[in-house]
Amino acid sequence: MSLDRFAPAVFVLLWSTGWVVAKFAALHSEPFTFLSIRYALSALAFLAFCLVAKAQWPKSRATVLRAIYSGFFLHGFYLAGLWWAIANGVPAGISGIIAALQPLLTAMAAPFLVGERLQKTQQLGLALGFIGIAIAISPKLFDPAMADLSHAALPLAINLIAMGSVTYGTLYQKKHLQSGDLRTIATLQYVAALILTLPLSLIFEHQHFDGTAQAYGALLWSVFGLSMGGVGLLLYLIRRGQVSRAASLIYLMPPAVALEAFIAFGERLTLPLILGTVIVVTGVYMTNRRVVQQAQASV
């Protein structure tokens, strides 16, 4: 019961550090290379955990394939796109604001996947969310230092696609992986992510990892703080049906990331960034308010 109560808050606290770690890791390693190492170590860590705990592995091939398929989207495409975007110039604070699109994208997909119609207030919330994103990223798009707009537009577009990937992966996990041991499912998902990112590293990068203490520190936090702690809590929340309850705390994600990026890297808290954050948070709240109220009423 206590874990149900505090898991959403702990998840948001852990998850918000992911954008800062991505920015920090980009100083010491290429993104796909870093993620390949992270996924390999995460898979081994989860495997060791499963063996010690004698966790039950999926008994059907269908469940194994579903776990692998979901891993492509929850970890592989999502973090590959996110980390590449940050490594190629998207500020961590802006990327954190884009992360707030996940509840909005989920609400947009709901009518097609579960037949849930959006209310007028929710439709307005969706519109506000995208307006807020446009305001927040406008300085990046129209920076005079950008001789070619595509230098800014492409990483931002990849960042947006990555959010679509994790949204789809979350919905797929909720629909198709409601049974089975989460520890073994997570292991298979990280193997899937490694299958995706390792070829990207070999094809597009030079496998640069500088091996400094800072690089290893970022790697250790990525594996144990994010991959095992944050993702483990995410899978738990999905299984327990607590995602809607966590939505009320996800509103804090963009300002938390912006503040962490300001402290860690001196990313400016500009007026468009602050205004865009407020509008996005308002839009996400309006879109998810009915769902959150229903979840609270059922407690």
Side-chain angles (χ1 to χ4, degrees):
M1 184 64 67
S2 59
L3 182 58
D4 280 354
R5 179 176 299 178
F6 294 109
V10 176
F11 164 71
V12 171
L13 179 62
L14 290 175
W15 207 248
S16 67
T17 66
W19 284 263
V20 175
V21 170
K23 179 83 171 182
F24 186 77
L27 303 174
H28 301 278
S29 176
E30 294 167 301
F32 299 147
T33 298
F34 189 96
L35 287 175
S36 295
I37 300 172
R38 169 181 169 178
Y39 291 148
L41 293 177
S42 297
L44 289 174
F46 264 106
L47 176 61
F49 185 31
C50 291
L51 293 176
V52 171
K54 298 182 179 179
Q56 293 294 318
W57 291 89
K59 297 180 179 179
S60 69
R61 179 183 297 180
T63 302
V64 172
L65 293 177
R66 286 170 180 166
I68 291 174
Y69 180 77
S70 65
F72 286 142
F73 294 93
L74 273 176
H75 307 310
F77 288 116
Y78 167 49
L79 286 185
L82 175 67
W83 283 51
W84 184 88
I86 291 178
N88 284 272
V90 175
I94 288 180
S95 185
I97 295 176
I98 294 176
L101 283 176
Q102 184 181 353
L104 302 180
L105 293 174
T106 302
M108 290 179 64
F112 303 98
L113 297 178
V114 297
E116 178 183 308
R117 298 184 62 182
L118 296 179
Q119 297 179 342
K120 294 294 184 181
T121 302
Q122 291 176 302
Q123 294 175 1
L124 178 59
L126 286 173
L128 283 177
F130 287 104
I131 290 172
I133 291 294
I135 293 174
I137 68 176
S138 59
K140 184 68 176 176
L141 291 175
F142 298 104
D143 188 345
M146 289 289 182
D148 184 352
L149 187 61
S150 65
H151 289 170
L154 180 58
L156 287 168
I158 295 298
N159 202 149
L160 288 168
I161 293 172
M163 294 315 303
S165 173
V166 72
T167 299
Y168 173 75
T170 300
L171 291 170
Y172 184 89
Q173 171 105 6
K174 179 67 176 176
K175 185 176 181 179
H176 296 288
L177 290 169
Q178 278 297 331
S179 61
D181 194 305
L182 288 175
R183 295 165 293 187
T184 55
I185 289 174
T187 304
L188 294 171
Q189 288 174 331
Y190 280 119
V191 170
L194 178 61
I195 292 173
L196 177 69
T197 55
L198 183 58
L200 292 176
S201 171
L202 295 174
I203 295 172
F204 297 107
E205 296 179 345
H206 299 89
Q207 293 74 58
H208 170 68
F209 181 86
D210 64 15
T212 61
Q214 293 84 351
Y216 282 114
L219 184 60
L220 288 174
W221 178 252
S222 293
V223 172
F224 295 103
L226 295 172
S227 292
M228 298 199 72
V231 173
L233 278 174
L234 174 61
L235 296 177
Y236 175 83
L237 291 169
I238 293 173
R239 174 67 57 82
R240 295 287 293 175
Q242 300 293 318
V243 176
S244 59
R245 185 178 295 176
S248 61
L249 292 171
I250 289 177
Y251 309 148
L252 301 176
M253 190 80 75
V257 175
L259 182 59
E260 290 169 7
F262 170 74
I263 295 173
F265 305 107
E267 290 187 5
R268 294 177 55 200
L269 298 175
T270 62
L271 181 60
L273 180 64
I274 296 172
L275 180 60
T277 298
V278 172
I279 294 175
V280 168
V281 169
T282 302
V284 173
Y285 171 76
M286 294 175 64
T287 305
N288 289 272
R289 181 175 57 181
R290 181 175 62 85
V291 177
V292 173
Q293 287 176 342
Q294 286 180 351
Q296 291 173 343
S298 65
V299 175

